[in-house]
Structure formats: structure tokens, C-alpha cells
Amino acid sequence: MRNKDKPTAIPQKKRMTEGPFWPGLIFLFALLLRLIYFFDIKDTIWMGWLGMDATIYDNWARMIAIQGQLGVEIPFMNPGYALFLGFLYSLLRYNLSLVLLIQFTTGALSCVLVYFLGIKLFNRTAGVIAGLLASLYGISFLYEGTLLSASAINLLNLLLLLLLIEAREKTLRVLARRRLYSGPLCPVQAQYPAVPALCPAGYRSWLQGVG
């Protein structure tokens, strides 16, 4: 008797490397490296080093935490990051160590987004290599370890790009639903002066996907 309709068993090794295995591994690897860096600088002058821009964000966020508003009519720097920092200050009572740990965690999440972008644009192998390389990128540690908006910019840009690529692959019905996710990110991302052409490019890709 033939077992023609019997489902083929998935090898154990293949099951382990699918699903959440690689994203989880990349996240933990990236976070571990960042924690090593964090505890290495914890008792040095580089812990939360406040240069000119970081000092402005720190004072701005403290004012937001106290007053509950931006406090300036025309922001001359990235108000989105100042609001995020002000929220953390009000929630964590100005605990700089916890704020930086949150930034390191978002940096590890960015590495996972790089992994998913690699899968979308190439294949799983490329995604794994890209995610691991992003985890090892030392400049990210530097920016995530101080009060600068670069890590938030990176996370938002990666998330927006991933959502736009995913949206283009879907049918018209699902595509319209995805606009609710990536659309609001455009004005949020506009608070940061990085890659301002992402949003128009995203809408062009939607139109091409529909057509």
C-alpha cells in the first residue's frame, strides 16, 4: 500500500532553524554584545557621555517630563526623540542606566529588522549574515550608549522600509490594510532628518504594486 498522501516529516535540524530561531538568536547575540559594552563603560566617563547635542536632548527631555509638553514653538532638533526620552524620564525617574539599556535593546531589535530585510530582498542566508554583521557593528554601540537620536532613526527607518517592502508583496486588499501600519510611520519618521525620501518612495511602490 502506497503512502502517497503521507506528509513528509520535516528534519529536526530544519525545524530548529526556522520560525523564531534565527531572529531570537540574532537578538540575543546583539543584546549580549551591547550588555558587555554597557557594563564595560558603566563606571567610566563614557557612561551616558553628554556632548552638546546630548545635553540639549537631556535638558529638553527633563522639561518635557516636568511640563508634559515640548516647551518650544519651533523645534530645532528632532522632537520625536525628545518626546521619547521625556517619556522614559517620567517613567524611570531620570534613571540614565535604564534609559541606555532600553536604547541598547532597541538597537538589538534593529539587528533583527536587518535580518528580515535580508530575507525579503535576498534569502535566509543573506538575512542571517546581515543580522549578525549588524550585531557586530561597533558604531551602533557608541550611539546607543548616549543620548542621541541616531539609534531611534535607524530603528524607524528599518521598520518603515520593511513594512513598505512587505506591503508591495501583498494583494490589493491586504495592501490597503498595510497602509494603516506604514502610513502613520511617515510623519513620525519625518521628525527625524534621515532619509526624507523614504515616504514618497513608499507610496510610489504602493502604486506600482497595485498596477
Side-chain angles (χ1 to χ4, degrees):
M1 191 173 180
R2 295 182 178 179
N3 295 326
K4 193 174 183 179
D5 299 329
K6 184 177 180 180
T8 304
I10 302 176
Q12 181 69 18
K13 185 177 180 181
K14 187 175 181 180
R15 287 203 304 267
M16 287 179 60
T17 55
E18 289 182 350
F21 175 79
W22 281 117
L25 181 64
I26 290 172
F27 174 77
L28 292 176
F29 178 63
L31 186 60
L32 176 62
L33 293 178
R34 282 155 173 78
L35 289 177
I36 292 173
Y37 174 79
F38 171 76
F39 287 108
D40 189 47
I41 67 169
K42 194 173 187 299
D43 298 321
T44 68
I45 61 173
W46 301 110
M47 173 63 180
W49 178 75
L50 299 181
M52 185 176 70
D53 288 356
T55 300
I56 293 173
Y57 280 126
D58 179 64
N59 294 333
W60 196 358
R62 289 174 184 271
M63 183 171 58
I64 291 173
I66 295 172
Q67 299 179 1
Q69 57 185 3
L70 281 175
V72 291
E73 294 183 1
I74 304 177
F76 59 94
M77 293 180 69
N78 306 324
Y81 180 71
L83 285 169
F84 170 71
L85 200 57
F87 171 75
L88 292 182
Y89 276 3
S90 62
L91 188 66
L92 304 174
R93 299 187 181 277
Y94 309 107
N95 190 321
L96 183 58
S97 294
L98 290 179
V99 170
L100 295 182
L101 284 173
I102 290 174
Q103 287 199 160
F104 283 127
T105 303
T106 60
L109 287 174
S110 294
C111 299
V112 177
L113 294 181
V114 170
Y115 160 78
F116 283 117
L117 279 172
I119 291 179
K120 288 290 183 181
L121 296 174
F122 300 100
N123 52 49
R124 187 180 298 276
T125 301
V128 171
I129 294 174
L132 292 175
L133 288 176
S135 303
L136 294 166
Y137 188 54
I139 300 298
S140 297
F141 300 3
L142 176 65
Y143 283 108
E144 292 160 17
T146 188
L147 301 180
L148 294 173
S149 59
S151 58
I153 290 173
N154 190 44
L155 179 68
L156 284 176
N157 285 341
L158 288 169
L159 182 59
L160 177 61
L161 185 58
L162 184 63
L163 290 174
L164 290 173
I165 292 173
E166 182 182 358
R168 192 164 181 255
E169 296 175 351
K170 303 299 180 180
T171 61
L172 178 60
R173 179 177 61 83
V174 178
L175 181 65
R177 189 186 311 147
R178 287 295 188 274
R179 292 182 188 182
L180 298 177
Y181 298 133
S182 56
L185 280 178
C186 288
V188 172
Q189 194 270 347
Q191 300 296 328
Y192 302 94
V195 200
L198 258 181
C199 295
Y203 288 115
R204 286 197 298 272
S205 71
W206 285 340
L207 294 176
Q208 293 172 1
V210 173

